[in-house]
């Protein structure tokens, strides 16, 4: 499906047009349209994927999807939502929705004991177009709900007032068009070696190369539903990787680590004789099967039989090893007879590469035989459904090649195994799969949070959650560490729903292993030992006990805390305890996606050193559409986010909180006005005694949102405790003196500067990273700051490397306040 129908909002009486388009060989000739899953009368067998509805009535609201078909098969589009409003009915309420931000610790709590303030937000929902708006197949410019007016409030805090801008009114305006990106790194699965200058394809179109360190950035084309990307090693040492990459359609960048399998060393075969290559014999295991190549099976592209020496490489992805899941290709899906994309459960996939021994020219083969050991199939019903599939590298879907049937005739005397046998020809496609369709499916609800408090308004968006379906428990298979399928999803404002195999009769028939990453950083799962806390896990008893939740360190505290495993127990519709998540039946996807935060769900959270962020103009970094154009906005450009950090060394027996206060420095519209505050606790250096380092964010100097005039932010860095400044980076001091004016640095307990306009590096103790995703820019900058280099990345503090300013801190005499505390209690006097 190359063109998907798009969601529309209309008033009753207006017109609307939905469009879809499919490609294939042969080209699809018939299109069918469905409303809420029911075939629309009069739309069957259209030759055009266009549906025009005139004079809309309220009952025509709902979901619309199309199906395209030819003699080769069918494909179904994603559903598009049509909202029909009554004439004059507002789609965007003027009154903002509640949205809370945390005030600094020095601000008093309200009557309810909370330090959170409601700043309001406008939902980015679509607005109906006017009567003259075109209703054709092209992209609508569109109107969306957004901020119409903001107000400045003054919040009393510790003897002074804190400025804060809140949303006062919402209204319809032009929709934001944020760029949708996928970024990441491609490495070899075995050694971690980067794929240098590898080719990147979207569909059949080449779109670029990976960098020297294997990095890549892909801009997602508009209206994309499945981002099918192929990575090719120009040196042919690694097997081509076809990946369906998750992305956030609301904009911003999602980070993805891509693993590529190393090609197995080729063996030399005599093309004139019959040959057999085992599949999955590595690690001393019994092979899953074998590839049988009869004499004369190798062909040149012209069709001429090649009987010379053949170099044959067959690389097998063995699902009996859970570590291979990340390197497997595609997302194990196929299009069924109705055109619906449905999952497969794999028993192994293999990539083939046949070449002439002398010239190295590529060879084809066929017909060849695939023999699979029936003893490796532990679910009896799968024996009747096993098929051989090949991967379409453009659609990322697996397509049926052959049915595997029990071998005919009696077994040979010395052969005690039964084989399933299928035939195929190896032409352009080189990646094959031993799979069965699996219809016992559910969805699992997962949310990610910024900390262990699990506040509903502190959810993280843009987190990549991965789910690996593990082999069923004993009673079905022999190896509980094997895997059968994997999926990924990106969290939105209401979490993510991940597909998984499930079973209603036996809760432990299928298990799933879940992990979550944000910008390459692994998030932590909720602990399951020494005592399981249902309130922390997010699932009430007794359903939690049925799920058997276990974090990866449940039995061994030395293991990582970044994954958990559950039994995917299909909910019993007659049991009220299982009607509220976190597992939903496959037909309840919408219920899963729209479930309130109070419903059962599974959780990940971010482990951070203590830190706090305050912006005068509120902005949710995980939702780019929440950006508001304002002179006091911390991020002046919603298409490009520049993160700046200063590295502070603290010599003293403790870890210390360090604050940066950021006000307008040189711009006439903002001079002296607060942009925001940042607090960050220092982290001990494991190699230096009584020394810690802090990476403190500050507002970068540069253009403000109107792009008219640059501002050099006045940045003040103040550590908590009895600290005095003992050293300043010589290069930074020299740079600031050569770029006047100089900030007043009379107080030895603080450091002030007018933020540089140039992107200085680790030699100055300043770390600057620009990215389309603010969180990713910050993660990369913090990693460099910890390492003290401009191109490295570390989570271990190196306080002596790449430092901008050094403070010496002592234990304070009893009763004496530090400058940091005086700033909190009486800032004007301090």
């Amino acid at each position: 499906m190359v063109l998907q129908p798009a969601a529309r909002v209309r008033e009753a009486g207006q017109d609307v047009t939905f469009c879809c388009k499919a490609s294939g060989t042969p080209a699809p000739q018939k299109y069918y349209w469905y409303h809420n899953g029911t075939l629309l009368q009069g739309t069957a067998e259209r030759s055009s994927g266009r549906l025009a509805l005139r004079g809309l009535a309220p009952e025509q609201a709902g979901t619309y999807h199309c199906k395209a078909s030819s003699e080769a098969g069918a494909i179904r589009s994603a559903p598009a939502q049509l909202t029909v409003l009554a004439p004059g009915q507002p789609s965007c309420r003027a009154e903002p929705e509640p949205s809370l931000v945390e005030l600094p610790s020095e601000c008093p709590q309200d009557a309810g004991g909370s330090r959170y303030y409601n700043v309001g937000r406008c939902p980015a929902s679509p607005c109906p177009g006017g009567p003259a708006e075109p209703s054709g197949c092209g992209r609508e410019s569109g109107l969306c709900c957004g901020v119409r007016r903001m107000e400045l409030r003054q919040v009393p805090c510790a003897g002074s007032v804190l400025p804060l801008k809140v949303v006062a009114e919402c209204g319809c305006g032009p929709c934001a068009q944020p760029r949708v990106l996928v970024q990441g790194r491609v490495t070899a699965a075995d050694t971690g070696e980067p794929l240098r200058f590898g080719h990147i394809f979207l569909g059949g179109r080449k779109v670029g190369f990976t960098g020297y360190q294997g990095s890549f950035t892909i801009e997602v084309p508009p209206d994309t539903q499945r981002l099918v990307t192929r990575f090719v090693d120009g040196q042919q040492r690694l097997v081509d990787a076809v990946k369906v990459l998750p992305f956030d359609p609301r904009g911003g960048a999602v980070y993805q680590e891509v693993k590529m399998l190393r090609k197995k060393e080729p063996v030399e075969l005599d093309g004139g004789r019959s040959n057999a290559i085992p599949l999955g014999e590595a690690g001393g295991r019994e092979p899953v099967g074998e590839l049988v190549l009869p004499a004369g099976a190798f062909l040149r592209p012209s069709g001429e039989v090649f009987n010379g020496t053949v170099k044959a490489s067959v690389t097998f992805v063995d699902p009996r090893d859970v570590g291979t899941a990340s390197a497997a290709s595609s997302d194990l899906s196929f299009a069924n007879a109705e055109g619906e994309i449905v999952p497969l459960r794999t028993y192994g996939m293999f990539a083939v590469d046949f070449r002439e021994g002398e010239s190295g020219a590529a060879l084809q083969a066929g017909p060849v035989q695939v023999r699979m050991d029936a003893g490796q199939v532990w679910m009896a019903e799968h024996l009747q459904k096993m098929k051989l599939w090949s991967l379409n590298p453009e659609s990322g879907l697996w397509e049926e090649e052959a049915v595997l049937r029990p071998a005919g005739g009696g077994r040979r005397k010395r052969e005690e195994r039964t084989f399933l046998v299928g035939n195929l020809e190896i032409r352009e496609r080189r990646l094959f799969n031993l799979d069965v369709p699996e219809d016992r499916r559910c969805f699992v609800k997962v949310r990610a949070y910024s900390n262990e408090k699990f506040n509903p308004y502190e959810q993280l968006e843009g987190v990549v959650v991965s789910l690996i379906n593990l082999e069923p428990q004993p009673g079905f298979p022999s190896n509980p560490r094997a895997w059968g399928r994997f999926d990924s999803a990106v969290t939105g404002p209401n979490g993510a729903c991940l597909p998984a195999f499930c079973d209603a009769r036996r809760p432990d028939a299928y298990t799933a292993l879940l992990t979550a990453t944000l910008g390459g950083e692994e998030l932590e799962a909720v602990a399951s030992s020494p005592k399981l806390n249902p309130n922390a896990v997010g699932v009430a008893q007794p359903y939690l006990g049925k799920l058997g939740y276990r974090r990866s360190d449940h039995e061994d505290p030395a293991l990582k805390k970044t994954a958990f495993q559950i039994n995917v127990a299909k909910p019993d519709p007659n049991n009220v305890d299982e009607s509220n998540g976190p597992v939903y039946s496959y037909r309840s996807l919408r219920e899963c996606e729209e479930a309130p935060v109070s419903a059962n769900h599974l959780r990940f959270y971010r482990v951070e050193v203590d830190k706090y962020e305050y912006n005068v103009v509120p902005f949710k970094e995980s939702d780019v559409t929440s950006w508001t154009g304002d002179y006091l906005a911390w991020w002046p450009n919603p298409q490009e986010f520049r993160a700046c950090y200063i590295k502070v060394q603290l010599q003293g027996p403790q870890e210390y909180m360090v604050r940066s206060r950021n006000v307008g420095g040189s711009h006439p519209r903002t001079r002296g006005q607060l942009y925001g505050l940042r607090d960050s606790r220092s982290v001990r250096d494991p190699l230096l005694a009584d020394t810690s380092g802090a990476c403190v964010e500050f507002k970068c100097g540069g253009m403000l949102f109107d792009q008219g005039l640059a501002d050099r932010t006045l940045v003040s860095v103040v550590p908590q405790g009895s600290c005095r400044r003992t050293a300043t980076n010589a290069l930074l001091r020299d740079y600031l003196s050569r770029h006047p004016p100089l900030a007043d640095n009379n107080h030895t307990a603080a450091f002030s500067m007018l933020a540089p306009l140039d992107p200085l590096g680790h030699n100055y103790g300043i770390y600057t990273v620009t990215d389309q995703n603010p969180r990713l820019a910050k993660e990369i900058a913090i990693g460099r700051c910890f390492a003290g280099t401009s191109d490295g990345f570390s989570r271990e503090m190196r306080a002596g490397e790449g430092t901008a300013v050094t403070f010496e801190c002592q234990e304070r005499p009893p009763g004496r306040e530090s400058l940091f505390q005086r700033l909190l209690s009486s800032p004007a006097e301090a």
Side-chain angles (χ1 to χ4, degrees), residues 44-58:
E45 300 193 11
R46 293 182 172 215
S47 59
S48 161
R50 184 182 175 102
L51 174 67
L53 303 174
R54 309 295 181 198
L56 286 169

Side-chain angles (χ1 to χ4, degrees), residues 286-357:
E286 280 288 320
V288 170
E290 60 185 5
L291 185 63
V292 179
L293 301 140
F298 296 105
L299 307 170
R300 288 185 166 130
S302 62
E304 176 191 354
V305 175
F306 180 79
N307 287 322
T309 300
V310 177
K311 287 191 173 180
S313 170
V314 178
T315 307
F316 188 73
V317 179
D318 196 334
R320 294 173 296 181
D321 177 3
V322 75
T324 62
S326 62
S329 269
S330 187
D331 62 353
L332 289 171
S333 298
F334 76 104
N336 66 11
E338 289 300 309
E340 185 181 6
I341 295 178
V342 289
L344 292 166
R345 180 250 182 262
T346 188
Y347 280 90
M349 54 185 75
F350 57 97
V352 300
D353 186 29
F354 300 140
R355 297 187 178 272
E356 294 185 23

Side-chain angles (χ1 to χ4, degrees), residues 424-505:
L424 80 151
E425 295 188 358
I426 299 172
R427 304 295 187 196
E428 290 82 10
R429 295 190 186 174
R430 298 300 173 104
L431 192 58
F432 303 94
N433 203 348
L434 301 162
D435 274 40
V436 291
E438 181 59 273
D439 53 8
R440 286 177 285 190
R441 297 171 281 159
C442 288
F443 285 98
V444 179
K445 182 74 173 201
V446 180
R447 299 178 188 270
Y449 293 86
S450 59
N451 55 53
E452 213 172 348
K453 297 174 185 175
F454 305 120
N455 288 322
Y457 37 83
E458 292 185 312
Q459 291 189 65
L460 291 175
E461 300 172 41
V463 173
V464 179
V465 183
S466 298
L467 183 150
I468 300 175
N469 286 270
L470 298 178
E471 207 38 37
Q473 289 296 311
F476 284 70
S478 65
N479 181 3
R481 285 186 58 77
W483 61 274
R485 181 178 170 77
F486 51 88
D487 282 281
S488 295
V490 177
T491 58
N494 202 32
C497 294
L498 290 100
F501 296 144
C502 59
D503 192 87
R505 291 178 294 110

